[in-house]
Amino acid sequence: MGNVVNGNKQGWLKSWPKNSRLALRLFVALVIAALSNMLISIWFDTPKMASIRRDNQRLRSEYNILQGKIISAEHLLADIKHRDQFVYRPLLGIDTLNIPQVYSEYNDSKYISLEGNDYSEDIIDGWKSLDRLTRSIYYASLSLDDTQDMAENKEEFSTVIPAIWPIDRTKLKNVSSLYGMRVHPRYGYWKMHEGIDLSAPKGTPVYATGNAVVQRSSWQPGYGQLIELNHGFGYKTRYGHLSKRYVSPGDSVTRGQVIGEVGNTGVSSGSHLHYEVRFRDKTVNPIHYFNKDMSPEAYMDLMNQLDKSMQNN
């Protein structure tokens, strides 16, 4: 029986043309070779795969080194920024440079061309780190240039910085409104208050708080009678709700010079001076400039007044 079956099988195969039998044997051999190669490649690296793996490990190692250098540079820049903000600028009495765009991340569309391969995520993360580093370097460069300019012109800067009270403190009734968000006394809704209101009798002299050139002296909506001084170095001051103005655009004024009188003009609910300090066209809290000609006792008294004012508001 077995011989008959085997004979039938061999007869079936022999019934094929010789070329077909060769093709079948070649196909079977190729399948076996492919399966063997696949099994070998799964369990053992070929020389080519081993080389590729070594290259990948080397690239990964170089990428990690690059990331480490970027992080080190970011830490160094953070230290420079800290010294600039909390050492150099306070010593010179100047405000922190404000460039909001520096902190804005680029749109993801910038990195679309880097997508589409096994290393896209690492490459994109690397580019984002480099972009952040570039923006930080740009900020540090501008800030240090700014600080250097102030330092080189320290003598002139010391005369123009807003550094005294705009009115005689003995005439001050109270600090009626602080810098920041508040409920508007006339309109009844929350609104940013960009200065500080100093209540004083009508006619109280108003002083220029630093050497400057008069940029504006006119009636302005909301402010009423307004004087704006340009002190240079990015600083400007505004004096609003005046009853009288003694200076005109283009005039040069010196610190302590009387430029007007307290009044109740414009949108105002009582006699007071609205006083603003601006740095690079952005308002800053004038309180930070009031302690430059004050004793510690007078400064603490002002802080107590502000606390009471905040409680009332």
Side-chain angles (χ1 to χ4, degrees), residues 114-133:
L114 302 175
E115 296 177 351
N117 62 70
D118 295 339
Y119 301 99
S120 291
E121 185 175 348
D122 290 338
I123 293 172
I124 290 173
D125 285 344
W127 270 108
K128 286 184 176 180
S129 297
L130 284 172
D131 286 338
R132 284 194 298 270
L133 182 62

Side-chain angles (χ1 to χ4, degrees), residues 97-109:
L97 187 65
N98 184 22
I99 311 176
Q101 308 90 289
V102 169
Y103 308 105
S104 300
E105 296 285 345
Y106 292 124
N107 192 288
D108 287 341
S109 61

Side-chain angles (χ1 to χ4, degrees), residues 6-275:
N6 289 337
N8 290 338
K9 287 184 177 179
Q10 291 175 0
W12 169 78
L13 184 60
K14 288 180 179 179
S15 66
W16 281 34
K18 184 177 181 180
N19 290 340
S20 297
R21 293 198 303 272
L22 288 174
L24 178 62
R25 290 191 180 98
L26 179 60
F27 173 75
V28 171
L30 288 174
V31 170
I32 293 172
L35 289 173
S36 300
N37 186 57
M38 183 177 68
L39 292 173
I40 291 172
S41 65
I42 290 174
W43 294 103
F44 306 98
D45 273 346
T46 63
K48 183 176 182 180
M49 285 302 299
S51 176
I52 291 174
R53 289 184 190 278
R54 287 194 299 271
D55 288 343
N56 287 344
Q57 291 174 354
R58 178 178 55 80
L59 288 173
R60 179 74 63 181
S61 176
E62 291 177 354
Y63 171 79
N64 289 335
I65 292 172
L66 176 61
Q67 283 289 77
K69 289 182 177 180
I70 292 174
I71 292 172
S72 296
E74 287 177 337
H75 288 165
L76 177 61
L77 282 170
D79 180 61
I80 292 173
K81 182 179 179 181
H82 178 84
R83 282 183 282 135
D84 179 57
Q85 289 185 350
F86 299 104
V87 180
Y88 307 139
R89 287 177 176 270
L91 283 174
L92 292 170
I94 56 179
D95 280 300
T96 301
L97 187 65
N98 184 22
I99 311 176
Q101 308 90 289
V102 169
Y103 308 105
S104 300
E105 296 285 345
Y106 292 124
N107 192 288
D108 287 341
S109 61
K110 178 183 179 184
Y111 309 102
I112 288 179
S113 61
L114 302 175
E115 296 177 351
N117 62 70
D118 295 339
Y119 301 99
S120 291
E121 185 175 348
D122 290 338
I123 293 172
I124 290 173
D125 285 344
W127 270 108
K128 286 184 176 180
S129 297
L130 284 172
D131 286 338
R132 284 194 298 270
L133 182 62
T134 300
R135 292 195 298 271
S136 296
I137 292 172
Y138 172 71
Y139 172 90
S141 176
L142 288 183
S143 188
L144 289 176
D145 286 346
D146 187 45
T147 306
Q148 181 180 0
D149 181 57
M150 297 293 187
E152 291 175 350
N153 296 280
K154 176 65 176 176
E155 184 175 351
E156 179 187 355
F157 177 75
S158 66
T159 65
V160 303
I161 185 75
I164 66 171
W165 280 67
I167 62 172
D168 184 347
R169 290 199 304 275
T170 63
K171 305 293 185 182
L172 178 68
K173 292 181 178 179
N174 64 350
V175 179
S176 58
S177 191
L178 302 174
Y179 176 85
M181 294 299 295
R182 66 167 185 177
V183 177
H184 196 282
R186 288 279 294 273
Y187 300 137
Y189 56 79
W190 283 93
K191 189 176 187 297
M192 177 65 185
H193 187 233
E194 298 187 322
I196 189 169
D197 290 346
L198 306 173
S199 295
K202 180 179 179 181
T204 300
V206 174
Y207 310 120
T209 55
N211 295 359
V213 174
V214 179
Q215 183 164 314
R216 195 184 319 183
S217 179
S218 60
W219 177 279
Q220 295 293 323
Y223 289 96
Q225 298 289 356
L226 171 75
I227 293 173
E228 181 175 310
L229 303 182
N230 188 342
H231 299 266
F233 295 96
Y235 283 96
K236 295 179 182 179
T237 52
R238 288 181 177 179
Y239 311 77
H241 308 308
L242 303 174
S243 59
K244 292 183 180 179
R245 294 177 284 106
Y246 297 145
V247 293
S248 302
D251 290 349
S252 294
V253 298
T254 57
R255 177 180 292 151
Q257 178 179 334
V258 177
I259 57 175
E261 294 181 5
V262 171
N264 189 27
T265 58
V267 180
S268 172
S269 57
S271 179
H272 73 282
L273 172 69
H274 172 83
Y275 176 64

Side-chain angles (χ1 to χ4, degrees), residues 174-183 190 196 285 287 302-313:
N174 64 350
V175 179
S176 58
S177 191
L178 302 174
Y179 176 85
M181 294 299 295
R182 66 167 185 177
V183 177
W190 283 93
I196 189 169
N285 195 337
I287 287 297
L302 172 63
M303 293 300 103
N304 290 332
Q305 289 187 48
L306 294 179
D307 286 340
K308 291 179 182 178
S309 177
M310 290 178 69
Q311 292 171 7
N312 294 332
N313 291 335

